[in-house]
PDB file of all heavy atoms in Angstrom:
ATOM      1  N   LEU A   1       0.811  -1.218   0.000  1.00  0.00           N
ATOM      2  CA  LEU A   1       0.000   0.000   0.000  1.00  0.00           C
ATOM      3  C   LEU A   1       0.845   1.269   0.000  1.00  0.00           C
ATOM      4  O   LEU A   1       0.431   2.304  -0.539  1.00  0.00           O
ATOM      5  CB  LEU A   1      -0.928   0.000   1.212  1.00  0.00           C
ATOM      6  CG  LEU A   1      -1.925   1.160   1.319  1.00  0.00           C
ATOM      7  CD1 LEU A   1      -2.909   1.135   0.148  1.00  0.00           C
ATOM      8  CD2 LEU A   1      -2.678   1.115   2.644  1.00  0.00           C
ATOM      9  N   ALA A   2       2.041   1.204   0.579  1.00  0.00           N
ATOM     10  CA  ALA A   2       2.854   2.402   0.819  1.00  0.00           C
ATOM     11  C   ALA A   2       3.084   3.280  -0.422  1.00  0.00           C
ATOM     12  O   ALA A   2       2.937   4.505  -0.336  1.00  0.00           O
ATOM     13  CB  ALA A   2       4.194   2.002   1.442  1.00  0.00           C
ATOM     14  N   PRO A   3       3.430   2.721  -1.597  1.00  0.00           N
ATOM     15  CA  PRO A   3       3.657   3.597  -2.763  1.00  0.00           C
ATOM     16  C   PRO A   3       2.431   4.402  -3.169  1.00  0.00           C
ATOM     17  O   PRO A   3       2.554   5.533  -3.656  1.00  0.00           O
ATOM     18  CB  PRO A   3       4.064   2.616  -3.866  1.00  0.00           C
ATOM     19  CG  PRO A   3       4.592   1.422  -3.137  1.00  0.00           C
ATOM     20  CD  PRO A   3       3.744   1.327  -1.908  1.00  0.00           C
ATOM     21  N   PHE A   4       1.256   3.842  -2.957  1.00  0.00           N
ATOM     22  CA  PHE A   4       0.023   4.552  -3.305  1.00  0.00           C
ATOM     23  C   PHE A   4      -0.269   5.658  -2.291  1.00  0.00           C
ATOM     24  O   PHE A   4      -0.763   6.725  -2.653  1.00  0.00           O
ATOM     25  CB  PHE A   4      -1.142   3.576  -3.400  1.00  0.00           C
ATOM     26  CG  PHE A   4      -1.006   2.611  -4.536  1.00  0.00           C
ATOM     27  CD1 PHE A   4      -0.386   1.387  -4.356  1.00  0.00           C
ATOM     28  CD2 PHE A   4      -1.474   2.936  -5.798  1.00  0.00           C
ATOM     29  CE1 PHE A   4      -0.236   0.496  -5.412  1.00  0.00           C
ATOM     30  CE2 PHE A   4      -1.334   2.051  -6.865  1.00  0.00           C
ATOM     31  CZ  PHE A   4      -0.700   0.829  -6.667  1.00  0.00           C
ATOM     32  N   SER A   5       0.047   5.403  -1.029  1.00  0.00           N
ATOM     33  CA  SER A   5      -0.147   6.426  -0.008  1.00  0.00           C
ATOM     34  C   SER A   5       0.727   7.645  -0.282  1.00  0.00           C
ATOM     35  O   SER A   5       0.308   8.791  -0.100  1.00  0.00           O
ATOM     36  CB  SER A   5       0.166   5.858   1.379  1.00  0.00           C
ATOM     37  OG  SER A   5      -0.787   4.881   1.753  1.00  0.00           O
ATOM     38  N   LYS A   6       1.941   7.408  -0.754  1.00  0.00           N
ATOM     39  CA  LYS A   6       2.857   8.510  -1.043  1.00  0.00           C
ATOM     40  C   LYS A   6       2.355   9.393  -2.187  1.00  0.00           C
ATOM     41  O   LYS A   6       2.667  10.579  -2.241  1.00  0.00           O
ATOM     42  CB  LYS A   6       4.239   7.953  -1.392  1.00  0.00           C
ATOM     43  CG  LYS A   6       4.954   7.295  -0.223  1.00  0.00           C
ATOM     44  CD  LYS A   6       6.295   6.719  -0.651  1.00  0.00           C
ATOM     45  CE  LYS A   6       6.990   6.037   0.514  1.00  0.00           C
ATOM     46  NZ  LYS A   6       8.282   5.417   0.104  1.00  0.00           N
ATOM     47  N   LEU A   7       1.576   8.809  -3.081  1.00  0.00           N
ATOM     48  CA  LEU A   7       1.097   9.555  -4.251  1.00  0.00           C
ATOM     49  C   LEU A   7      -0.359   9.998  -4.106  1.00  0.00           C
ATOM     50  O   LEU A   7      -0.984  10.411  -5.073  1.00  0.00           O
ATOM     51  CB  LEU A   7       1.237   8.693  -5.505  1.00  0.00           C
ATOM     52  CG  LEU A   7       2.677   8.322  -5.901  1.00  0.00           C
ATOM     53  CD1 LEU A   7       2.663   7.291  -7.026  1.00  0.00           C
ATOM     54  CD2 LEU A   7       3.447   9.560  -6.327  1.00  0.00           C
ATOM     55  N   ARG A   8      -0.862   9.935  -2.900  1.00  0.00           N
ATOM     56  CA  ARG A   8      -2.292  10.181  -2.664  1.00  0.00           C
ATOM     57  C   ARG A   8      -2.758  11.532  -3.191  1.00  0.00           C
ATOM     58  O   ARG A   8      -3.882  11.666  -3.683  1.00  0.00           O
ATOM     59  CB  ARG A   8      -2.585  10.076  -1.167  1.00  0.00           C
ATOM     60  CG  ARG A   8      -4.057  10.242  -0.823  1.00  0.00           C
ATOM     61  CD  ARG A   8      -4.296  10.043   0.658  1.00  0.00           C
ATOM     62  NE  ARG A   8      -5.707  10.061   0.977  1.00  0.00           N
ATOM     63  CZ  ARG A   8      -6.194   9.861   2.201  1.00  0.00           C
ATOM     64  NH1 ARG A   8      -5.370   9.627   3.197  1.00  0.00           N
ATOM     65  NH2 ARG A   8      -7.495   9.894   2.416  1.00  0.00           N
ATOM     66  N   TYR A   9      -1.912  12.555  -3.097  1.00  0.00           N
ATOM     67  CA  TYR A   9      -2.341  13.899  -3.462  1.00  0.00           C
ATOM     68  C   TYR A   9      -1.805  14.357  -4.816  1.00  0.00           C
ATOM     69  O   TYR A   9      -1.858  15.550  -5.125  1.00  0.00           O
ATOM     70  CB  TYR A   9      -1.920  14.886  -2.367  1.00  0.00           C
ATOM     71  CG  TYR A   9      -2.595  14.588  -1.047  1.00  0.00           C
ATOM     72  CD1 TYR A   9      -1.874  14.033   0.009  1.00  0.00           C
ATOM     73  CD2 TYR A   9      -3.958  14.828  -0.876  1.00  0.00           C
ATOM     74  CE1 TYR A   9      -2.496  13.738   1.212  1.00  0.00           C
ATOM     75  CE2 TYR A   9      -4.587  14.525   0.320  1.00  0.00           C
ATOM     76  CZ  TYR A   9      -3.850  13.980   1.361  1.00  0.00           C
ATOM     77  OH  TYR A   9      -4.481  13.673   2.538  1.00  0.00           O
ATOM     78  N   ASP A  10      -1.321  13.423  -5.614  1.00  0.00           N
ATOM     79  CA  ASP A  10      -0.852  13.768  -6.953  1.00  0.00           C
ATOM     80  C   ASP A  10      -2.045  13.741  -7.908  1.00  0.00           C
ATOM     81  O   ASP A  10      -2.545  12.680  -8.275  1.00  0.00           O
ATOM     82  CB  ASP A  10       0.220  12.779  -7.414  1.00  0.00           C
ATOM     83  CG  ASP A  10       0.972  13.271  -8.650  1.00  0.00           C
ATOM     84  OD1 ASP A  10       0.337  13.916  -9.501  1.00  0.00           O
ATOM     85  OD2 ASP A  10       2.179  13.014  -8.747  1.00  0.00           O
ATOM     86  N   ALA A  11      -2.494  14.923  -8.305  1.00  0.00           N
ATOM     87  CA  ALA A  11      -3.733  15.041  -9.083  1.00  0.00           C
ATOM     88  C   ALA A  11      -3.575  14.674 -10.542  1.00  0.00           C
ATOM     89  O   ALA A  11      -4.566  14.594 -11.272  1.00  0.00           O
ATOM     90  CB  ALA A  11      -4.274  16.464  -8.980  1.00  0.00           C
ATOM     91  N   LEU A  12      -2.351  14.429 -10.997  1.00  0.00           N
ATOM     92  CA  LEU A  12      -2.131  14.169 -12.419  1.00  0.00           C
ATOM     93  C   LEU A  12      -1.701  12.737 -12.698  1.00  0.00           C
ATOM     94  O   LEU A  12      -1.255  12.431 -13.804  1.00  0.00           O
ATOM     95  CB  LEU A  12      -1.078  15.151 -12.961  1.00  0.00           C
ATOM     96  CG  LEU A  12      -1.446  16.632 -12.836  1.00  0.00           C
ATOM     97  CD1 LEU A  12      -0.320  17.505 -13.371  1.00  0.00           C
ATOM     98  CD2 LEU A  12      -2.744  16.938 -13.571  1.00  0.00           C
ATOM     99  N   ARG A  13      -1.834  11.885 -11.719  1.00  0.00           N
ATOM    100  CA  ARG A  13      -1.453  10.480 -11.888  1.00  0.00           C
ATOM    101  C   ARG A  13      -2.628   9.580 -11.534  1.00  0.00           C
ATOM    102  O   ARG A  13      -3.489   9.961 -10.736  1.00  0.00           O
ATOM    103  CB  ARG A  13      -0.243  10.141 -11.011  1.00  0.00           C
ATOM    104  CG  ARG A  13       0.996  10.966 -11.319  1.00  0.00           C
ATOM    105  CD  ARG A  13       2.105  10.655 -10.330  1.00  0.00           C
ATOM    106  NE  ARG A  13       2.468   9.250 -10.363  1.00  0.00           N
ATOM    107  CZ  ARG A  13       3.724   8.823 -10.497  1.00  0.00           C
ATOM    108  NH1 ARG A  13       4.719   9.687 -10.629  1.00  0.00           N
ATOM    109  NH2 ARG A  13       4.004   7.527 -10.492  1.00  0.00           N
ATOM    110  N   PRO A  14      -2.668   8.357 -12.091  1.00  0.00           N
ATOM    111  CA  PRO A  14      -3.802   7.462 -11.820  1.00  0.00           C
ATOM    112  C   PRO A  14      -3.708   6.729 -10.490  1.00  0.00           C
ATOM    113  O   PRO A  14      -4.692   6.143 -10.046  1.00  0.00           O
ATOM    114  CB  PRO A  14      -3.739   6.478 -12.986  1.00  0.00           C
ATOM    115  CG  PRO A  14      -2.274   6.395 -13.308  1.00  0.00           C
ATOM    116  CD  PRO A  14      -1.752   7.799 -13.112  1.00  0.00           C
ATOM    117  N   GLU A  15      -2.540   6.753  -9.842  1.00  0.00           N
ATOM    118  CA  GLU A  15      -2.362   5.968  -8.624  1.00  0.00           C
ATOM    119  C   GLU A  15      -3.348   6.315  -7.508  1.00  0.00           C
ATOM    120  O   GLU A  15      -3.801   5.401  -6.788  1.00  0.00           O
ATOM    121  CB  GLU A  15      -0.918   6.100  -8.117  1.00  0.00           C
ATOM    122  CG  GLU A  15       0.112   5.395  -8.955  1.00  0.00           C
ATOM    123  CD  GLU A  15       0.594   6.234 -10.130  1.00  0.00           C
ATOM    124  OE1 GLU A  15       0.102   7.377 -10.280  1.00  0.00           O
ATOM    125  OE2 GLU A  15       1.448   5.761 -10.879  1.00  0.00           O
ATOM    126  N   PRO A  16      -3.725   7.604  -7.305  1.00  0.00           N
ATOM    127  CA  PRO A  16      -4.700   7.894  -6.250  1.00  0.00           C
ATOM    128  C   PRO A  16      -6.056   7.220  -6.462  1.00  0.00           C
ATOM    129  O   PRO A  16      -6.776   6.955  -5.498  1.00  0.00           O
ATOM    130  CB  PRO A  16      -4.831   9.429  -6.303  1.00  0.00           C
ATOM    131  CG  PRO A  16      -3.521   9.886  -6.834  1.00  0.00           C
ATOM    132  CD  PRO A  16      -3.153   8.844  -7.859  1.00  0.00           C
ATOM    133  N   ILE A  17      -6.400   6.953  -7.718  1.00  0.00           N
ATOM    134  CA  ILE A  17      -7.670   6.269  -7.991  1.00  0.00           C
ATOM    135  C   ILE A  17      -7.587   4.832  -7.490  1.00  0.00           C
ATOM    136  O   ILE A  17      -8.492   4.338  -6.801  1.00  0.00           O
ATOM    137  CB  ILE A  17      -7.979   6.298  -9.502  1.00  0.00           C
ATOM    138  CG1 ILE A  17      -7.932   7.725 -10.035  1.00  0.00           C
ATOM    139  CG2 ILE A  17      -9.356   5.686  -9.771  1.00  0.00           C
ATOM    140  CD1 ILE A  17      -7.927   7.817 -11.547  1.00  0.00           C
ATOM    141  N   CYS A  18      -6.483   4.169  -7.817  1.00  0.00           N
ATOM    142  CA  CYS A  18      -6.273   2.799  -7.329  1.00  0.00           C
ATOM    143  C   CYS A  18      -6.103   2.800  -5.814  1.00  0.00           C
ATOM    144  O   CYS A  18      -6.576   1.896  -5.118  1.00  0.00           O
ATOM    145  CB  CYS A  18      -5.043   2.187  -7.995  1.00  0.00           C
ATOM    146  SG  CYS A  18      -5.117   2.144  -9.793  1.00  0.00           S
ATOM    147  N   GLY A  19      -5.415   3.829  -5.305  1.00  0.00           N
ATOM    148  CA  GLY A  19      -5.211   3.929  -3.867  1.00  0.00           C
ATOM    149  C   GLY A  19      -6.520   4.054  -3.112  1.00  0.00           C
ATOM    150  O   GLY A  19      -6.675   3.513  -2.015  1.00  0.00           O
ATOM    151  N   TYR A  20      -7.476   4.771  -3.694  1.00  0.00           N
ATOM    152  CA  TYR A  20      -8.792   4.898  -3.063  1.00  0.00           C
ATOM    153  C   TYR A  20      -9.453   3.525  -2.913  1.00  0.00           C
ATOM    154  O   TYR A  20     -10.029   3.208  -1.864  1.00  0.00           O
ATOM    155  CB  TYR A  20      -9.679   5.816  -3.895  1.00  0.00           C
ATOM    156  CG  TYR A  20     -11.091   5.930  -3.383  1.00  0.00           C
ATOM    157  CD1 TYR A  20     -11.403   6.762  -2.316  1.00  0.00           C
ATOM    158  CD2 TYR A  20     -12.116   5.179  -3.961  1.00  0.00           C
ATOM    159  CE1 TYR A  20     -12.699   6.853  -1.838  1.00  0.00           C
ATOM    160  CE2 TYR A  20     -13.412   5.261  -3.484  1.00  0.00           C
ATOM    161  CZ  TYR A  20     -13.699   6.108  -2.424  1.00  0.00           C
ATOM    162  OH  TYR A  20     -14.992   6.181  -1.938  1.00  0.00           O
ATOM    163  N   LEU A  21      -9.329   2.702  -3.944  1.00  0.00           N
ATOM    164  CA  LEU A  21      -9.894   1.352  -3.883  1.00  0.00           C
ATOM    165  C   LEU A  21      -9.178   0.520  -2.828  1.00  0.00           C
ATOM    166  O   LEU A  21      -9.819  -0.150  -2.004  1.00  0.00           O
ATOM    167  CB  LEU A  21      -9.784   0.685  -5.254  1.00  0.00           C
ATOM    168  CG  LEU A  21     -10.159  -0.802  -5.318  1.00  0.00           C
ATOM    169  CD1 LEU A  21     -11.594  -1.005  -4.856  1.00  0.00           C
ATOM    170  CD2 LEU A  21      -9.964  -1.326  -6.728  1.00  0.00           C
ATOM    171  N   LEU A  22      -7.856   0.548  -2.849  1.00  0.00           N
ATOM    172  CA  LEU A  22      -7.092  -0.204  -1.856  1.00  0.00           C
ATOM    173  C   LEU A  22      -7.411   0.282  -0.448  1.00  0.00           C
ATOM    174  O   LEU A  22      -7.475  -0.507   0.501  1.00  0.00           O
ATOM    175  CB  LEU A  22      -5.598  -0.069  -2.134  1.00  0.00           C
ATOM    176  CG  LEU A  22      -5.099  -0.714  -3.431  1.00  0.00           C
ATOM    177  CD1 LEU A  22      -3.637  -0.356  -3.674  1.00  0.00           C
ATOM    178  CD2 LEU A  22      -5.277  -2.225  -3.400  1.00  0.00           C
ATOM    179  N   GLY A  23      -7.613   1.597  -0.314  1.00  0.00           N
ATOM    180  CA  GLY A  23      -7.954   2.154   0.987  1.00  0.00           C
ATOM    181  C   GLY A  23      -9.298   1.664   1.490  1.00  0.00           C
ATOM    182  O   GLY A  23      -9.462   1.356   2.677  1.00  0.00           O
ATOM    183  N   ALA A  24     -10.282   1.580   0.599  1.00  0.00           N
ATOM    184  CA  ALA A  24     -11.608   1.076   0.986  1.00  0.00           C
ATOM    185  C   ALA A  24     -11.521  -0.375   1.431  1.00  0.00           C
ATOM    186  O   ALA A  24     -12.156  -0.777   2.416  1.00  0.00           O
ATOM    187  CB  ALA A  24     -12.582   1.227  -0.184  1.00  0.00           C
ATOM    188  N   GLU A  25     -10.734  -1.167   0.715  1.00  0.00           N
ATOM    189  CA  GLU A  25     -10.544  -2.567   1.103  1.00  0.00           C
ATOM    190  C   GLU A  25      -9.869  -2.659   2.469  1.00  0.00           C
ATOM    191  O   GLU A  25     -10.220  -3.510   3.295  1.00  0.00           O
ATOM    192  CB  GLU A  25      -9.707  -3.289   0.045  1.00  0.00           C
ATOM    193  CG  GLU A  25     -10.409  -3.439  -1.291  1.00  0.00           C
ATOM    194  CD  GLU A  25      -9.521  -4.050  -2.356  1.00  0.00           C
ATOM    195  OE1 GLU A  25      -8.274  -3.938  -2.242  1.00  0.00           O
ATOM    196  OE2 GLU A  25     -10.060  -4.634  -3.312  1.00  0.00           O
ATOM    197  N   ARG A  26      -8.902  -1.771   2.702  1.00  0.00           N
ATOM    198  CA  ARG A  26      -8.188  -1.772   3.981  1.00  0.00           C
ATOM    199  C   ARG A  26      -9.116  -1.379   5.130  1.00  0.00           C
ATOM    200  O   ARG A  26      -9.047  -1.951   6.216  1.00  0.00           O
ATOM    201  CB  ARG A  26      -6.994  -0.819   3.876  1.00  0.00           C
ATOM    202  CG  ARG A  26      -6.008  -0.885   5.025  1.00  0.00           C
ATOM    203  CD  ARG A  26      -5.343  -2.247   5.161  1.00  0.00           C
ATOM    204  NE  ARG A  26      -4.664  -2.696   3.974  1.00  0.00           N
ATOM    205  CZ  ARG A  26      -3.373  -2.465   3.711  1.00  0.00           C
ATOM    206  NH1 ARG A  26      -2.655  -1.754   4.546  1.00  0.00           N
ATOM    207  NH2 ARG A  26      -2.817  -2.956   2.620  1.00  0.00           N
ATOM    208  N   GLU A  27      -9.996  -0.410   4.909  1.00  0.00           N
ATOM    209  CA  GLU A  27     -10.958   0.001   5.937  1.00  0.00           C
ATOM    210  C   GLU A  27     -11.902  -1.153   6.281  1.00  0.00           C
ATOM    211  O   GLU A  27     -12.166  -1.421   7.464  1.00  0.00           O
ATOM    212  CB  GLU A  27     -11.770   1.192   5.454  1.00  0.00           C
ATOM    213  CG  GLU A  27     -10.996   2.484   5.318  1.00  0.00           C
ATOM    214  CD  GLU A  27     -11.848   3.577   4.702  1.00  0.00           C
ATOM    215  OE1 GLU A  27     -12.923   3.866   5.259  1.00  0.00           O
ATOM    216  OE2 GLU A  27     -11.456   4.122   3.656  1.00  0.00           O
ATOM    217  N   ALA A  28     -12.410  -1.822   5.254  1.00  0.00           N
ATOM    218  CA  ALA A  28     -13.330  -2.940   5.488  1.00  0.00           C
ATOM    219  C   ALA A  28     -12.634  -4.052   6.268  1.00  0.00           C
ATOM    220  O   ALA A  28     -13.219  -4.648   7.184  1.00  0.00           O
ATOM    221  CB  ALA A  28     -13.856  -3.476   4.158  1.00  0.00           C
ATOM    222  N   ALA A  29     -11.381  -4.323   5.932  1.00  0.00           N
ATOM    223  CA  ALA A  29     -10.623  -5.361   6.637  1.00  0.00           C
ATOM    224  C   ALA A  29     -10.413  -4.963   8.093  1.00  0.00           C
ATOM    225  O   ALA A  29     -10.481  -5.816   8.999  1.00  0.00           O
ATOM    226  CB  ALA A  29      -9.284  -5.584   5.942  1.00  0.00           C
ATOM    227  N   ALA A  30     -10.164  -3.674   8.335  1.00  0.00           N
ATOM    228  CA  ALA A  30      -9.960  -3.209   9.709  1.00  0.00           C
ATOM    229  C   ALA A  30     -11.228  -3.374  10.539  1.00  0.00           C
ATOM    230  O   ALA A  30     -11.179  -3.837  11.693  1.00  0.00           O
ATOM    231  CB  ALA A  30      -9.522  -1.741   9.702  1.00  0.00           C
ATOM    232  N   VAL A  31     -12.371  -3.009   9.963  1.00  0.00           N
ATOM    233  CA  VAL A  31     -13.643  -3.153  10.676  1.00  0.00           C
ATOM    234  C   VAL A  31     -13.901  -4.619  11.000  1.00  0.00           C
ATOM    235  O   VAL A  31     -14.285  -4.970  12.132  1.00  0.00           O
ATOM    236  CB  VAL A  31     -14.799  -2.563   9.840  1.00  0.00           C
ATOM    237  CG1 VAL A  31     -16.155  -2.983  10.415  1.00  0.00           C
ATOM    238  CG2 VAL A  31     -14.690  -1.044   9.794  1.00  0.00           C
ATOM    239  N   ARG A  32     -13.685  -5.491  10.032  1.00  0.00           N
ATOM    240  CA  ARG A  32     -13.907  -6.923  10.265  1.00  0.00           C
ATOM    241  C   ARG A  32     -12.990  -7.458  11.356  1.00  0.00           C
ATOM    242  O   ARG A  32     -13.410  -8.235  12.224  1.00  0.00           O
ATOM    243  CB  ARG A  32     -13.683  -7.697   8.964  1.00  0.00           C
ATOM    244  CG  ARG A  32     -14.758  -7.471   7.904  1.00  0.00           C
ATOM    245  CD  ARG A  32     -14.456  -8.273   6.659  1.00  0.00           C
ATOM    246  NE  ARG A  32     -15.532  -8.231   5.698  1.00  0.00           N
ATOM    247  CZ  ARG A  32     -15.414  -7.739   4.460  1.00  0.00           C
ATOM    248  NH1 ARG A  32     -14.257  -7.229   4.060  1.00  0.00           N
ATOM    249  NH2 ARG A  32     -16.448  -7.739   3.636  1.00  0.00           N
ATOM    250  N   LEU A  33     -11.722  -7.058  11.319  1.00  0.00           N
ATOM    251  CA  LEU A  33     -10.761  -7.545  12.307  1.00  0.00           C
ATOM    252  C   LEU A  33     -11.106  -7.058  13.708  1.00  0.00           C
ATOM    253  O   LEU A  33     -11.079  -7.832  14.673  1.00  0.00           O
ATOM    254  CB  LEU A  33      -9.352  -7.095  11.917  1.00  0.00           C
ATOM    255  CG  LEU A  33      -8.219  -7.495  12.879  1.00  0.00           C
ATOM    256  CD1 LEU A  33      -8.135  -9.010  12.997  1.00  0.00           C
ATOM    257  CD2 LEU A  33      -6.894  -6.917  12.411  1.00  0.00           C
ATOM    258  N   ILE A  34     -11.441  -5.787  13.823  1.00  0.00           N
ATOM    259  CA  ILE A  34     -11.770  -5.236  15.144  1.00  0.00           C
ATOM    260  C   ILE A  34     -13.005  -5.921  15.719  1.00  0.00           C
ATOM    261  O   ILE A  34     -13.029  -6.315  16.896  1.00  0.00           O
ATOM    262  CB  ILE A  34     -11.981  -3.714  15.056  1.00  0.00           C
ATOM    263  CG1 ILE A  34     -10.645  -3.021  14.744  1.00  0.00           C
ATOM    264  CG2 ILE A  34     -12.554  -3.176  16.371  1.00  0.00           C
ATOM    265  CD1 ILE A  34     -10.785  -1.543  14.433  1.00  0.00           C
ATOM    266  N   LEU A  35     -14.043  -6.083  14.907  1.00  0.00           N
ATOM    267  CA  LEU A  35     -15.271  -6.713  15.406  1.00  0.00           C
ATOM    268  C   LEU A  35     -15.033  -8.170  15.771  1.00  0.00           C
ATOM    269  O   LEU A  35     -15.557  -8.660  16.777  1.00  0.00           O
ATOM    270  CB  LEU A  35     -16.378  -6.590  14.369  1.00  0.00           C
ATOM    271  CG  LEU A  35     -16.951  -5.184  14.184  1.00  0.00           C
ATOM    272  CD1 LEU A  35     -18.035  -5.192  13.129  1.00  0.00           C
ATOM    273  CD2 LEU A  35     -17.512  -4.648  15.495  1.00  0.00           C
ATOM    274  N   ALA A  36     -14.239  -8.872  14.958  1.00  0.00           N
ATOM    275  CA  ALA A  36     -13.920 -10.268  15.295  1.00  0.00           C
ATOM    276  C   ALA A  36     -13.154 -10.331  16.605  1.00  0.00           C
ATOM    277  O   ALA A  36     -13.391 -11.222  17.438  1.00  0.00           O
ATOM    278  CB  ALA A  36     -13.112 -10.899  14.172  1.00  0.00           C
ATOM    279  N   GLY A  37     -12.231  -9.393  16.783  1.00  0.00           N
ATOM    280  CA  GLY A  37     -11.476  -9.364  18.030  1.00  0.00           C
ATOM    281  C   GLY A  37     -12.365  -9.081  19.231  1.00  0.00           C
ATOM    282  O   GLY A  37     -12.230  -9.719  20.289  1.00  0.00           O
ATOM    283  N   LYS A  38     -13.277  -8.122  19.093  1.00  0.00           N
ATOM    284  CA  LYS A  38     -14.196  -7.804  20.184  1.00  0.00           C
ATOM    285  C   LYS A  38     -15.114  -8.985  20.505  1.00  0.00           C
ATOM    286  O   LYS A  38     -15.401  -9.277  21.661  1.00  0.00           O
ATOM    287  CB  LYS A  38     -15.036  -6.574  19.830  1.00  0.00           C
ATOM    288  CG  LYS A  38     -14.248  -5.281  19.704  1.00  0.00           C
ATOM    289  CD  LYS A  38     -13.602  -4.880  21.020  1.00  0.00           C
ATOM    290  CE  LYS A  38     -12.824  -3.595  20.886  1.00  0.00           C
ATOM    291  NZ  LYS A  38     -12.130  -3.217  22.151  1.00  0.00           N
TER     292      LYS A  38
END
């Protein structure tokens, strides 16, 4: 994920679009993990 995070605010490259998708997947995984842990 790290290379996409570094380019998050680059408005002229496609990586932030892919990063947004990867970020959504990461958020969903975090919610699932936290709830499973609880």
Side-chain angles (χ1 to χ4, degrees):
L1 184 63
F4 294 91
S5 292
K6 292 178 181 178
L7 296 171
R8 183 176 186 178
Y9 297 107
D10 193 325
L12 300 179
R13 300 175 59 129
E15 289 85 0
I17 306 168
C18 302
Y20 176 80
L21 172 59
L22 293 173
E25 293 175 335
R26 190 62 56 91
E27 291 174 56
V31 167
R32 290 180 172 119
L33 178 60
I34 292 171
L35 288 180
K38 294 297 180 183

